[in-house]
Amino acid sequence: MQKTLIALAILSASAAHADEGMWMPQQLPQVAKQLKAAGLKLDPATLTKLTEFPMGAIVSLGGCSASFVSPQGLVATNHHCVYGSVAHNSTPERDLLANGFLAHNLGEELPAAPGSRIFVTKAVTNVSKQVVTAEVAKLSGKKRSDAIEKNIKAIQAACEQDAGHRCTVSSYYGGLEYYLIKQLEIRDVRLVHAPPAGVGKFGGDTDNWMWPRHTGDYGFYRAYVSKDGKAADYSKDNVPYIPQHYLKLAKKGSKEGDFVMVLGYPGRTNRHRLPSEVAFTFDWSYPAFVKSSAESLAIIADTTKDNKDTALKYASQVASINNYYKNRQGMLDSYAGSDMLKRKTAEHEALKNWINANPARKAEYAGDIELVEKLIAQRDAETKRDYFLSSSKPRLLNTARMLYRLANENTKPDAERKVGYQVRDVPRIKASVAALVRNYDEKVDQALVINSLSKYAAQPAAERNAAFDAAIGIKDGMSKAELQAALEKLYAGSKLGDAAERSSWIGKTPAEFKASNDSFIQAAVALYEPGMKEEADEEELGGKLQQAYANYMKAKIAFMQSKGQAVYPDANSTLRVTFGKIAGRDHGADGTTWTAFTTVNGVAAKATGQGEFNAPQAQLAAIKARDFGKYVDPILKSVPVAYLATLDITGGNSGSAALNAKGEWIGLAFDGTLDSIISDWDFNKANTRDIQVDLRYILWNMKHVDHADNLLKEMNAE
């Protein structure tokens, strides 16, 4: 691979603490000394080879991480990552969420939720010069955005000539660099095993982000392909995918002080953000999110309390909202007691002083540093203005708008269609439309919408969206009852609540949409042209911001290198490696010490027989009888449940394989501690701990409680 800014930024990586950093695989040779010093027994160079062991076993679920753990395409991930598929297959008569699910053979496996995918990364290629060509570099605003998008689509289309693959160009360092990620896209995904909620979600929202933890957060999918080994849609004739590599189970149990690394697809971190972005996020954005999330949870709870089927439909959404609600509140609590903004401001001032101290640097960077601040301020003001608007749109209206946009894009050659509406995107759109069957209810949706709509309608007319007001029928001074009546009329005038009706609109022409008297379709048509104007304005701002932000990051990298500091890119949902050790920590808040491991003794101690702590009776009986088999830890004298490690992870890492020094599987990352999740913005070496479910607990529960003997044999665990 050509030497790039990313590679150059690592040459002085010895200044970085070993536990900090979400490293791209190709960066690892530059931190080989740290890896070896931390205890890695493998050659660090092997971790750069994406189609060899162990990287070839690591996959993405498009929001969670996972890994192959058998030669028959068995995939291990977190329980909360398969939760949507469990909910999709659950009914009041067959509540798989509560009772768990186990397929005893291939024929019993269930189709995962619509749109489920398993992505196997095959190649990562630097395409920066193809995306931002010499000609593009001269452009600004929307012209720049359009040119970059055009180049990205061309690169992706060429890559996807290899049938069955999904290719994505990802941005690094605020658009300073671009990499092409080529992935095999497995479309036939099936649910194989998920423990009962009393195991997989034990502790629920009470224990979420907390330690000590006793959650068995694991579940299994299987990847299927056609008989000729190609990616294919679901078919009873498909066969299990045979991966080139899969993880082997650790021969020895883990202990405190052991080397550990996690391989996965972390979502987003924000460590390179400007002070103004930090202030906006923690002073306004996160508080607003926490408030609206609490309201949404209360509304869903109230409107589903008497209907178990509806509650099941919204179970996955409730789990997601709860997760982020507690996450953001935890970040706010950590931020309130920190000097983060002060330090970020001082660092930013030091950067500007360094730039201004040299005429050449000043000429190259100073203008963009000033411009990026102005553009960020404009973006933040628009975000505030439109906050309630974004959540005031009924889901069926959003679906209608997506379908009408698809109809319009379909009139163009594929290369000219908007990203998200090309031929490659149609399966995703179909899946999202189909998924509404098991995750949508009109009563709940109306209640959520009216809560936001009443706040939106109370804004001055100048701050509202005139096109949206006209489509919904909003006027100044409307009471909540009047807004409710307008909303009910909109819902009543549409047939999109019917699954067959929704699906029938996929592939229809713009003329057919315009001729429809369906209320949501009519609103979608009315909002189309104003929406395109808004999108153009956003792209004008985005193009300017990309240009200025990339140069800001170029300056920051140069500045940090001048001080001998490593610069790894923020997480962006691409494959990364983080490494450290299994370790407890002092918990300064109450003067206690957190031990590195929890055990099943804690499960029994917490179990109440109801709610979030309703452990299965079979499990409690096995614990009471000390029926631990070979999974007992010789030091702990019990079965380990979870362990802490000094790993640098974030959302998206859920389900990531934790490996020992030999590259053997020892668990699954699934969470962090509440006081360390602020590391998304500000890495704290002393506090940062992530949480893994121990492989021994997974295997013990499968063997002694769920009797998943077929899967244990498949994984060579017996």
Side-chain angles (χ1 to χ4, degrees), residues 407-450:
N408 281 277
E409 296 295 335
N410 282 346
T411 65
K412 309 172 188 175
D414 192 55
E416 296 177 17
R417 297 177 194 176
K418 191 68 180 174
V419 169
Y421 293 92
Q422 295 181 279
V423 172
R424 70 202 290 266
D425 301 305
V426 173
R428 175 190 56 80
I429 292 172
K430 288 181 177 179
S432 70
V433 171
L436 285 168
V437 172
R438 290 302 303 163
N439 64 23
Y440 172 81
D441 177 82
E442 183 177 308
K443 180 183 175 183
V444 180
D445 195 61
Q446 275 204 48
L448 291 169
V449 170
I450 194 64

Side-chain angles (χ1 to χ4, degrees), residues 703-715:
K703 175 69 175 178
H704 293 261
V705 181
D706 287 332
H707 307 293
D709 298 318
N710 56 315
L711 299 182
L712 293 170
K713 182 178 181 181
E714 181 178 340
M715 293 189 293

Side-chain angles (χ1 to χ4, degrees), residues 320-435:
S320 178
I321 295 173
N322 262 315
N323 185 52
Y324 282 102
Y325 169 70
K326 195 167 185 177
N327 174 290
R328 298 303 188 250
Q329 185 59 61
M331 287 201 196
L332 287 171
D333 292 341
S334 294
Y335 178 76
S338 77
D339 64 345
M340 182 169 76
L341 182 58
K342 182 179 179 181
R343 284 186 290 102
K344 294 284 187 181
T345 301
E347 291 167 6
H348 190 57
E349 288 302 314
L351 167 62
K352 290 195 288 187
N353 290 338
W354 177 78
I355 289 170
N356 291 328
N358 179 285
R361 292 197 294 260
K362 186 174 182 179
E364 185 174 3
Y365 302 126
D368 281 319
I369 297 292
E370 182 179 351
L371 178 59
V372 78
E373 292 279 19
K374 292 180 180 178
L375 296 172
I376 287 171
Q378 179 184 342
R379 182 189 65 189
D380 291 347
E382 292 174 359
T383 299
K384 275 188 176 183
R385 180 196 67 199
D386 296 337
Y387 183 74
F388 292 118
L389 172 63
S390 62
S391 53
S392 293
K393 298 165 185 170
R395 284 181 69 187
L396 293 182
L397 173 57
N398 288 334
T399 299
R401 295 186 72 183
M402 175 179 67
L403 294 172
Y404 185 53
R405 179 66 181 271
L406 178 64
N408 281 277
E409 296 295 335
N410 282 346
T411 65
K412 309 172 188 175
D414 192 55
E416 296 177 17
R417 297 177 194 176
K418 191 68 180 174
V419 169
Y421 293 92
Q422 295 181 279
V423 172
R424 70 202 290 266
D425 301 305
V426 173
R428 175 190 56 80
I429 292 172
K430 288 181 177 179
S432 70
V433 171

Side-chain angles (χ1 to χ4, degrees), residues 31-58:
V31 289
K33 288 184 179 179
Q34 290 96 306
L35 278 162
K36 284 295 187 181
L40 179 67
K41 303 301 182 185
L42 302 176
D43 179 356
T46 64
L47 299 177
T48 68
K49 300 171 182 176
L50 303 184
T51 57
E52 296 186 17
F53 180 84
M55 302 305 289
I58 307 304

Side-chain angles (χ1 to χ4, degrees), residues 483-520:
L483 288 169
Q484 182 74 54
L487 204 57
E488 289 175 356
K489 181 180 178 181
L490 193 65
Y491 281 88
S494 176
K495 296 180 180 178
L496 291 184
D498 179 75
E501 178 70 14
R502 283 195 303 273
S503 296
S504 73
W505 284 96
I506 298 174
K508 287 191 176 182
T509 66
E512 289 174 297
F513 276 83
K514 290 176 181 178
S516 172
N517 61 3
D518 185 287
S519 56
F520 280 131

Side-chain angles (χ1 to χ4, degrees), residues 546-595:
Q546 185 276 335
Q547 188 175 19
Y549 214 105
N551 210 33
Y552 155 71
M553 283 306 308
K554 185 178 179 182
K556 184 174 183 179
I557 290 171
F559 174 55
M560 292 176 71
Q561 285 180 328
S562 74
K563 299 192 297 180
Q565 295 179 355
V567 191
Y568 51 84
D570 266 321
N572 62 351
S573 299
T574 59
L575 186 57
R576 304 294 179 91
V577 178
T578 177
F579 60 96
K581 63 180 179 179
I582 296 174
R585 54 164 275 215
D586 291 331
H587 187 236
D590 55 13
T592 61
T593 298
W594 284 349
T595 56

